[in-house]
Amino acid sequence: MATLSSRTYPLLRLITQFGGRLALTLALATTVQANEPGPAPTAVLGKLSFPTSSASAPAQAAFVEGMLLLHLFEYRPAMLAFQRASKLDPDFAMAYWGEAMTHTHPVWNQQDLEAGRAALARLGATPELRLAKATLPVEKAFLQAAEILYGEGSKLERDQRMLQAMEAMAKQFPDDDEAQLFLSLALLGVTEGVRDLPNFLRAADIAKAVYRRNPLHPGAAHYWIHGMDDPVNAAGALEAARALSKIAPDAGHSLHMTSHIFVAMGLWDDVVASNEAADRVVNTTLKAKSQPPYSCGHYSEWLQYAYFQQGRERDGFQLLLDCQRDARAALAWFAAHPGEVYLSAKNVAALKERINWSQVTMRATAIVESPRYRAQAAAIDLDISDVGRYEGWALFSRGLAQVWSGDLRRGRRALERIHAIAALPAEAEDNGSEGKYLAIMAQMLDGLIRFRSGDPVEGIRRVQAAAEAYEAMPFDFGPPATVKPPRELLGEMLLERGKHAEALVEFDRALNNAPKRALSLAGRERALAR
């Protein structure tokens, strides 16, 4: 995630005023914390209208900046912008509300409950005192919704009540874009990170309607994409994907987000272009702070996957090596600069954990996608001491490489360890899907081991069961959640048995879930060439 920074910005340019509502385009504003420079003064993040009761034009400008960043899921820069707004106008109720909202990430099923409550507490000690500082009806409604979001009860209970509050607010303010978009976001998040198709499609429709009114609103295009980033519906949000990178070309997440649609449609050139651009934004920001570059992370993971789909095996493997190189430099820099922030990580341990997660993903992708570099990737040792149950993904991919190379003994040891990891307690942010993916991967590896051990019938049966379990789960956006799609593995196993017609069926089913995926296409060609 790109971060903002210290010292001063030029004031926001006021572009136009209409109907009593102030419309602003970001060209960026005021002050932030030391040692964290933000986007360039001419950074473009979109346009929205959110009038408030603040009498301070600089505070309002910082608030709008925060709102644009919030809608782009650039949560730390958004938090800093809202903090600047509250410093400029200490009684600015919506600035504290905005800061609180940066501590909930609905689509990612993440929430820092204490930080959200602390942000609200800086406005006033009680909900009543806080509400008294909001003047406009829409401000009061947003504050009341935040009180629900950070109130009592489990996260699921609070998310459900938040959705109810946003339903009511959207009805009360039918022409307010922000009320509509926060309803869209609540619909995306209420199922705790699991795709609920009716909810997602309704969220997309709401966001699309806002986009029709304001085609420069980053949240409108963003939530439209999130609502339809699956292979069945992705074409319906291609317009939004083509638009978002132009709406907010200076936000890394904006540039990456377009690839949610491109991956779902198998548009690999577009996936590469969008994530290369996102990485450039991140590294431009780091360079401005005299910090080392970063080749790990979410954008690089998707970029690497797309390189392999293009057949660029060398580039995909090199990106894994770049991640390792840059990770060492970033950790060394961070250790030498205590008290600094690198990306959004506040300490070395947090950055190390993020890097290790990324390296597990990138090594697994190289193992599965690249026959040419499989052995080299599998030979890379990773520090997986702090990735929790995600260690199962590292073991699964390496186990596949071991079994494919004929080392069944080590493959079985990997399988035993996956079973042990699956038995560990789930982490707080796990919505239940992590354990299911671990079980599916264990079934796949077990099936392949049995297949190669002289029991092909039982091996195929187990991978078939894994495929059925995988398809019974809600679709998870992006590259395959289990690294290797079960139908693709099943098709490859059937080909080995000479069952070309049955293999063709499996490859076609794999391509339904992952359109234009290179290994499934190659398997399909082999199945047809009988």
Side-chain angles (χ1 to χ4, degrees), residues 1-259:
M1 180 185 298
T3 53
L4 292 183
S5 106
S6 110
R7 306 276 172 132
T8 60
Y9 286 122
L11 284 176
L12 264 175
R13 285 200 304 268
L14 305 186
I15 302 302
T16 186
Q17 194 167 2
F18 59 96
R21 299 180 66 98
L22 192 62
L24 303 116
T25 294
L26 202 59
L28 282 175
T30 60
T31 60
V32 276
Q33 297 179 358
N35 301 317
E36 282 197 51
T42 55
V44 176
L45 300 175
K47 174 182 174 182
L48 62 80
S49 173
F50 196 144
T52 69
S53 54
S54 176
S56 167
Q60 174 68 12
F63 172 76
V64 171
E65 175 190 328
M67 286 300 302
L68 291 167
L69 290 163
L70 180 64
H71 281 302
L72 289 164
F73 294 179
E74 298 281 1
Y75 289 112
R76 179 171 175 79
M79 178 191 72
L80 297 175
F82 289 127
Q83 288 175 349
R84 296 199 311 275
S86 63
K87 287 177 183 177
L88 289 163
D89 182 354
D91 291 324
F92 191 177
M94 294 308 291
Y96 299 92
W97 166 85
E99 182 184 348
M101 298 306 291
T102 67
H103 297 298
T104 293
H105 312 156
V107 174
W108 304 340
N109 192 33
Q110 296 173 347
Q111 183 179 72
D112 188 335
L113 180 61
E114 295 310 312
R117 288 173 173 172
L120 291 175
R122 285 193 284 276
L123 176 61
T126 67
E128 292 75 21
L129 289 173
R130 293 192 283 268
L131 192 62
K133 294 186 179 182
T135 302
L136 302 176
V138 71
E139 293 179 323
K140 291 182 181 294
F142 272 124
L143 268 177
Q144 289 169 330
E147 301 289 356
I148 292 170
L149 186 63
Y150 294 110
E152 299 303 318
S154 68
K155 181 177 182 299
L156 176 59
E157 291 168 339
R158 288 181 282 110
D159 284 347
Q160 290 172 336
R161 292 198 297 270
M162 176 69 171
L163 175 58
Q164 293 170 359
M166 295 317 303
E167 292 275 17
M169 191 172 173
K171 289 179 181 177
Q172 182 182 1
F173 304 100
D175 299 322
D176 189 292
D177 289 348
E178 301 308 307
Q180 301 304 313
L181 288 173
F182 275 93
L183 171 57
S184 178
L185 189 57
L187 286 163
L188 293 171
V190 73
T191 47
E192 308 300 291
V194 174
R195 184 181 300 272
D196 178 287
L197 192 56
N199 271 15
F200 272 50
L201 293 180
R202 185 178 170 218
D205 283 342
I206 292 168
K208 182 179 178 180
V210 175
Y211 178 84
R212 295 294 178 230
R213 293 195 293 271
N214 178 7
L216 293 179
H217 197 305
H222 189 180
Y223 305 157
W224 182 3
I225 290 170
H226 265 301
M228 303 186 81
D229 58 349
D230 66 271
V232 173
N233 296 290
L238 185 58
E239 179 184 354
R242 297 291 187 207
L244 183 57
S245 61
K246 298 179 179 66
I247 293 169
D250 296 316
H253 190 77
S254 167
L255 298 167
H256 159 77
M257 190 65 214
T258 64
S259 64

Side-chain angles (χ1 to χ4, degrees), residues 321-340:
L321 300 181
D322 291 347
C323 172
Q324 291 190 293
R325 178 202 65 208
D326 289 351
R328 289 190 292 269
L331 290 169
W333 180 91
F334 214 174
H337 294 80
E340 298 272 7

Side-chain angles (χ1 to χ4, degrees), residues 1-3 74 250-253 255 276-289 291-296 299 342-343:
M1 180 185 298
T3 53
E74 298 281 1
D250 296 316
H253 190 77
L255 298 167
E276 285 180 339
D279 273 343
R280 279 196 297 272
V281 167
V282 171
N283 284 307
T284 297
T285 302
L286 291 172
K287 185 176 181 180
K289 298 165 66 175
Q291 293 181 342
Y294 192 63
S295 298
C296 306
Y299 310 156
Y342 184 86
L343 301 175

